[in-house]
Amino acid sequence: MDILKAATDWAKAELVSTPFFALAGLVFLAISLGFWQVGKTDLAKAYIIPTLVAGSLLVIIGLGLFFTNKSRITQFETAYQENALTFVNAELERAEATLKEYKNVVFTGIPIIIVICAAVLFLANAPVWRASMITTIAMLAVILFIDGLAHARIAEYNQQLVQAKQELDK
């Protein structure tokens, strides 16, 4: 198994995926701009700030992840050339930590926050609260969707790392 190719392919797939955070963020920013320009009701005006904040956060997340993963491609080759076993062990540790993070944050924390936001929707009638909760739910749904796909990729990559470690240990 060529684990360097698997690692590079994983990072390249992340380079395709992470811009969707930024793209979703731009959509939120456009929605904010739209509400600012044509929003007449109190609820429409209440969406301006929450969608601006959510859009900004998604753009920052997308750009940060993109540039982090872009730099990994060259780092992978250097680390692999220096010591293949050390590279595999370090990547295996990082992948397992990331999988644990996904389990705790993405697949537990985000759904809990969504449920809390939905409960607040039933209790609050103020436009700013309703707009904030709906925007938060929408932003978290985007994160959950994109990270769900990323989780599947890193889980597969983790299996490849386990197999590579077994081969290197022989």
Side-chain angles (χ1 to χ4, degrees):
M1 156 175 275
D2 186 5
I3 197 59
L4 179 59
K5 181 179 179 342
T8 305
D9 289 347
W10 170 81
K12 286 179 180 176
E14 288 296 304
L15 288 179
V16 172
S17 173
T18 56
F20 284 101
F21 281 113
L23 181 62
L26 292 175
V27 169
F28 274 78
L29 292 173
I31 290 168
S32 179
L33 180 65
F35 280 128
W36 179 57
Q37 291 296 311
V38 297
K40 301 289 185 230
T41 66
D42 288 340
L43 185 59
K45 291 175 185 176
Y47 272 104
I48 295 169
I49 299 299
T51 54
L52 180 66
V53 170
S56 299
L57 288 172
L58 287 170
V59 168
I60 290 166
I61 290 168
L63 292 175
L65 289 172
F66 179 83
F67 290 112
T68 298
N69 286 315
K70 187 170 181 154
S71 69
R72 277 194 180 123
I73 293 173
T74 54
Q75 292 170 356
F76 282 166
E77 188 167 340
T78 304
Y80 182 80
Q81 298 302 330
E82 287 177 9
N83 187 330
L85 184 58
T86 302
F87 167 75
V88 169
N89 286 334
E91 275 301 287
L92 193 55
E93 185 178 314
R94 187 185 64 77
E96 288 172 353
T98 302
L99 287 168
K100 185 184 280 187
E101 258 181 51
Y102 276 120
K103 181 179 183 268
N104 294 334
V105 176
V106 176
F107 299 122
T108 303
I110 288 178
I112 289 170
I113 296 169
I114 289 172
V115 168
I116 292 168
C117 289
V120 170
L121 276 173
F122 286 111
L123 303 172
N125 279 335
V128 72
W129 279 100
R130 294 183 78 71
S132 296
M133 293 305 106
I134 291 168
T135 302
T136 301
I137 291 169
M139 180 186 76
L140 292 174
V142 167
I143 292 171
L144 194 59
F145 178 70
I146 295 171
D147 277 351
L149 297 171
H151 175 267
R153 279 192 304 277
I154 199 158
E156 182 180 319
Y157 175 50
N158 188 60
Q159 290 302 318
Q160 293 171 330
L161 288 166
V162 168
Q163 183 182 357
K165 181 171 173 46
Q166 291 170 349
E167 290 174 8
L168 289 170
D169 286 340
K170 289 181 183 178

